[in-house]
Amino acid sequence: MTTAEAVETILRQVGQGAVVVSSLGRTAEEVFRRHPTALFLDCLGAPTPVACGVALGASEVHTVCFDTDGSFLMDLSTILALHRTIELCGERLTLAVLDNGILESGGGDASRSCPLDWTGLLASVGVDAVLAGSASELRDALGRSPHPGVIIARVENLEPASGPEKSTDGRQSRDRFVEHLLALRGQTAAPRATKS
Amino acid sequence: MSLREGLAEVGIDALFWVPDSLSAPVVRDAAEGTEIELMQVSDEATAICLASGFGLTGGRALVVMENSGLRRACEVLSRLGPSHGLYCVMLLSYRGAFGDRQWWADGHHWTMRPLLEMLGIRYEVITEADRLAPALIDAFEMFAAGQRSVAVVVHPAVFEVRK
């Protein structure tokens, strides 16, 4: 399964009416082509905890997060917060870690120097993870009941990644994300964490 | 006004918290019995990310951590704010404040202000307990302006008073 196939499968199945948070690199480019109002984060380690914060704050919508192996592994402390977030948000959060095994944007070296048991890692904090190696397995995982806490989608891309093509920077991405969230809420005014 | 009353006045929905010896008893008491989601996390960078995502939805989240947490969270603070315009409000316990007996705390003081300045975080150091709640209210007003992250740095004397 390629990154494009994984992104397509997930968005087709759970992207409708959802807010999306995305990691960087090839994943971001593929998400942008299909869901340009996603929040694109150019910060390894941030997508999963930021998405958890979004899911906790936006209780009326579904949150989909596309993280990547290199990014997720950069902040493993997140798995503790992830456990609590899943307790609170349940099926409103879909977290997919697209695992290509390499740091593609960082030159292509391996993303870890030892074998990694994803399901064991996440099970250690009570988070149920499912491995998906093909689009059909991914569809099965997305439709599973109870909903898996994390889906590890194994991807392999034979074509080299294209350069950055997204037409938005971080702040524009934030604004488009918020506008999309407002539209889903049927609101017009931007949310501001102010008192009045 | 106590911290508990301050949190209620601001309308805090969630506390993302890395416990430390100064703030822990006060924060636990302030959140107990309220509807505030008190989520303990194990790394300050994670707390910053959680609060930034939460804030993006219009919710009011407060990160509570020791001032040393700024150093742990430098990468995400450097990326999320300048590159993405994603901000948060922090309550920092001031380790290494003048008079702190702990030998390891001096570095916390030494690096705190330069980091706050370098990261473009607006902050106020409060030394009087009565200023805690008003400073939080002010911090959220500045946060609502959407220009940068904001921190309330709390002197140990304030926590002592509240114990």
Side-chain angles (χ1 to χ4, degrees), chain B residues 15 17 20-21 26 28 35 41 47 55 63 81 83-84 87 93 117 120 123-124 131 136 139 142-143 146 148 150 162:
Chain B
L15 292 175
W17 182 40
D20 71 284
S21 57
V26 181
R28 212 176 283 120
E35 293 186 355
V41 297
V63 174
S83 297
H84 297 277
Y87 305 112
S93 59
E117 298 287 348
Y123 67 96
E124 178 182 349
R131 180 61 192 149
L136 274 179
M142 294 195 72
F143 171 69
R148 57 180 72 201
V150 187
R162 292 295 171 201

Side-chain angles (χ1 to χ4, degrees), chain B residues 62 88-90 122 131 133-144 148 150-152:
Chain B
L62 179 65
C88 64
V89 180
M90 294 163 263
R122 287 296 301 271
R131 180 61 192 149
L136 274 179
I137 294 168
D138 290 346
F140 273 89
E141 286 300 310
M142 294 195 72
F143 171 69
R148 57 180 72 201
V150 187
V152 176

Side-chain angles (χ1 to χ4, degrees), chain A:
Chain A
M1 173 169 55
T2 65
T3 295
E5 289 169 333
V7 169
E8 175 73 23
T9 300
I10 292 167
L11 287 178
R12 188 180 290 271
Q13 196 147 335
V14 295
Q16 187 74 24
V19 289
V20 176
V21 177
S22 173
S23 190
L24 46 75
R26 183 196 294 265
T27 302
E29 297 296 331
E30 297 297 345
V31 172
F32 184 78
R33 292 189 183 107
R34 297 163 177 82
H35 198 101
T37 60
L39 180 68
F40 297 99
L41 295 172
D42 188 45
C43 183
L44 293 173
T48 293
V50 169
C52 286
V54 169
L56 289 164
S59 58
E60 69 280 52
V61 300
H62 190 101
T63 300
V64 178
C65 178
F66 291 95
D67 210 340
T68 51
D69 52 331
S71 171
F72 191 86
L73 292 171
M74 187 164 278
D75 181 11
L76 281 180
S77 88
T78 290
I79 62 176
L80 301 169
L82 181 60
H83 173 263
R84 179 62 179 152
T85 304
I86 291 170
E87 274 188 343
L88 292 169
C89 298
E91 301 196 357
R92 287 195 301 98
L93 173 66
T94 298
L95 169 59
V97 178
L98 273 53
D99 178 19
N100 63 1
I102 60 173
L103 302 169
E104 187 172 37
S105 297
D109 288 312
S111 63
R112 57 266 195 182
S113 55
C114 61
L116 173 60
D117 175 6
W118 282 107
T119 54
L121 171 70
L122 289 153
S124 71
V125 292
V127 172
D128 180 27
V130 173
L131 301 176
S134 66
S136 65
E137 288 179 2
L138 189 50
R139 281 191 291 273
D140 289 345
L142 290 163
R144 206 193 71 172
S145 182
H147 185 71
V150 180
I151 298 171
I152 308 297
R154 296 199 187 281
V155 296
E156 183 179 20
N157 299 289
L158 299 178
E159 296 293 322
S162 60
E165 295 174 356
K166 295 197 311 296
S167 57
T168 56
D169 65 16
R171 288 169 185 267
Q172 291 168 325
S173 166
R174 174 203 60 183
D175 292 344
R176 293 174 75 166
F177 175 89
V178 170
E179 286 170 10
H180 178 59
L181 174 59
L182 287 172
L184 292 175
R185 285 172 163 171
Q187 295 175 330
T188 53
R192 285 289 190 205
T194 191
K195 187 173 180 327
S196 54

Side-chain angles (χ1 to χ4, degrees), chain B:
Chain B
M1 188 184 285
S2 67
L3 176 60
R4 185 188 186 89
E5 292 165 332
L7 297 177
E9 176 71 16
V10 171
I12 296 290
D13 302 301
L15 292 175
F16 299 111
W17 182 40
V18 183
D20 71 284
S21 57
L22 282 179
S23 68
V26 181
V27 172
R28 212 176 283 120
D29 287 350
E32 189 176 6
T34 71
E35 293 186 355
I36 296 171
E37 171 61 25
L38 178 61
M39 183 181 286
Q40 181 176 332
V41 297
S42 54
D43 186 276
E44 289 85 350
T46 305
I48 297 294
C49 289
L50 284 160
S52 297
F54 196 92
L56 199 54
T57 69
R60 292 176 207 198
L62 179 65
V63 174
V64 182
M65 62 188 190
E66 192 177 77
N67 55 354
S68 57
L70 285 170
R71 305 197 298 254
R72 291 285 304 178
C74 263
E75 168 65 3
V76 294
L77 286 166
S78 302
R79 296 250 191 186
L80 296 185
S83 297
H84 297 277
L86 298 179
Y87 305 112
C88 64
V89 180
M90 294 163 263
L91 189 151
L92 306 177
S93 59
Y94 190 173
R95 270 295 178 190
F98 197 76
D100 196 326
R101 173 64 182 80
Q102 300 289 353
W103 62 267
W104 46 260
D106 188 55
H108 297 4
H109 161 76
W110 188 359
T111 54
M112 180 183 74
R113 287 180 193 262
L115 278 177
L116 287 166
E117 298 287 348
M118 188 172 64
L119 294 167
I121 298 169
R122 287 296 301 271
Y123 67 96
E124 178 182 349
V125 179
I126 64 163
T127 57
E128 304 290 337
D130 290 344
R131 180 61 192 149
L132 178 54
L136 274 179
I137 294 168
D138 290 346
F140 273 89
E141 286 300 310
M142 294 195 72
F143 171 69
Q147 300 303 302
R148 57 180 72 201
S149 289
V150 187
V152 176
V153 184
V154 183
H155 191 278
V158 175
F159 291 122
E160 292 297 327
V161 167
R162 292 295 171 201
K163 278 182 182 174

